[in-house]
């Protein structure tokens, strides 16, 4: 008499190889702050930056199905930010979907995302694997960041 087979878990979308991942980070992501000098000598990362990187690491690790990306990677990050509360309701509604040219600084916020993904083990050799960077900041009804990573290797 043969043993009944356990049902196999279906493969994730895209198979088991790390082809692409996508995840959403609720809230705003602060820009990467400069490391600070401590009074005892040495350097440390400010708490706000370290906390954001840890959150990103946990979220990115949660969507990974296989080994980390090994070759070049395309990274797309969309920052969705609510309009200022001081604006009137009509102005806030008209702003939804429009691009933003105010803080947070796009480069520093992008660096926080990449460092968090690196902490989460997304990259085999570090965030230097990112060969193509795409980023945008737009107004939205709620604060969030959508991160998409895709392998550029065949």
């Amino acid at each position: 008499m043969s043993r009944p087979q356990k049902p196999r878990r279906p493969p994730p979308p895209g198979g088991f190889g790390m082809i692409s991942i996508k995840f959403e980070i609720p809230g705003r992501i602060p820009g990467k702050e400069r490391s600070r000098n401590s009074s005892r000598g040495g350097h440390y990362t400010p708490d706000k930056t370290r906390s954001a990187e840890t959150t990103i690491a946990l979220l990115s690790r949660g969507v990974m199905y296989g080994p980390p990306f090994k070759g070049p990677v395309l990274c797309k990050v969309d920052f969705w930010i609510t309009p200022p509360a001081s604006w009137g309701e009509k102005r806030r509604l008209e702003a939804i979907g429009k691009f933003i040219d105010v803080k947070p600084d796009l480069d520093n916020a992008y660096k926080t995302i990449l460092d968090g993904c690196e902490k989460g083990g997304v990259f085999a050799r570090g965030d230097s694997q990112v060969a193509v960077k795409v980023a945008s900041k737009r107004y939205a009804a709620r604060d969030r960041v959508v991160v998409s990573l895709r392998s550029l290797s065949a």
Side-chain angles (χ1 to χ4, degrees), residues 23 56-57 60 112-123 147 149:
F23 60 97
I56 294 162
S60 65
T112 302
I113 300 287
L114 289 181
D115 288 349
C117 287
E118 187 173 354
K119 255 188 193 177
V122 172
F123 306 113
V147 181
L149 298 159

Side-chain angles (χ1 to χ4, degrees), residues 3 37-38 40 60-61 118 129 136 145 149:
R3 287 182 17 206
N37 294 320
S38 71
R40 298 181 205 161
S60 65
R61 195 175 301 142
E118 187 173 354
Q129 288 178 244
S136 69
V145 180
L149 298 159

Side-chain angles (χ1 to χ4, degrees), residues 29-68:
I29 295 298
K32 177 86 172 177
E33 295 179 281
R34 242 177 251 223
S35 64
R36 307 275 165 82
N37 294 320
S38 71
S39 58
R40 298 181 205 161
H43 300 281
Y44 70 94
T45 302
D47 291 338
K48 194 163 68 168
T49 300
R50 189 171 55 241
S51 173
E53 287 175 357
T54 302
T55 300
I56 294 162
L58 292 171
L59 290 170
S60 65
R61 195 175 301 142
V63 297
M64 288 183 54
Y65 283 102

Side-chain angles (χ1 to χ4, degrees), residues 64-76:
M64 288 183 54
Y65 283 102
F69 289 105
K70 292 189 182 355
V73 176
L74 176 140
C75 182
K76 181 176 186 254

Side-chain angles (χ1 to χ4, degrees), residues 47-148:
D47 291 338
K48 194 163 68 168
T49 300
R50 189 171 55 241
S51 173
E53 287 175 357
T54 302
T55 300
I56 294 162
L58 292 171
L59 290 170
S60 65
R61 195 175 301 142
V63 297
M64 288 183 54
Y65 283 102
F69 289 105
K70 292 189 182 355
V73 176
L74 176 140
C75 182
K76 181 176 186 254
V77 181
D78 295 310
F79 296 90
W80 298 94
I81 300 168
T82 53
S86 61
W87 289 5
E89 189 64 28
K90 181 180 177 185
R91 186 175 176 195
R92 288 172 58 94
L93 288 173
E94 288 173 352
I96 302 292
K98 292 186 179 172
F99 291 102
I100 304 171
D101 61 352
V102 295
K103 286 192 172 198
D105 179 42
L106 194 59
D107 293 336
N108 290 334
Y110 200 96
K111 183 64 179 160
T112 302
I113 300 287
L114 289 181
D115 288 349
C117 287
E118 187 173 354
K119 255 188 193 177
V122 172
F123 306 113
R125 295 186 319 273
D127 61 6
S128 62
Q129 288 178 244
V130 176
V132 180
K133 290 168 60 172
V134 180
S136 69
K137 290 188 303 185
R138 294 182 188 204
Y139 285 121
R142 66 182 175 90
D143 290 328
R144 67 190 184 281
V145 180
V146 179
V147 181
S148 304

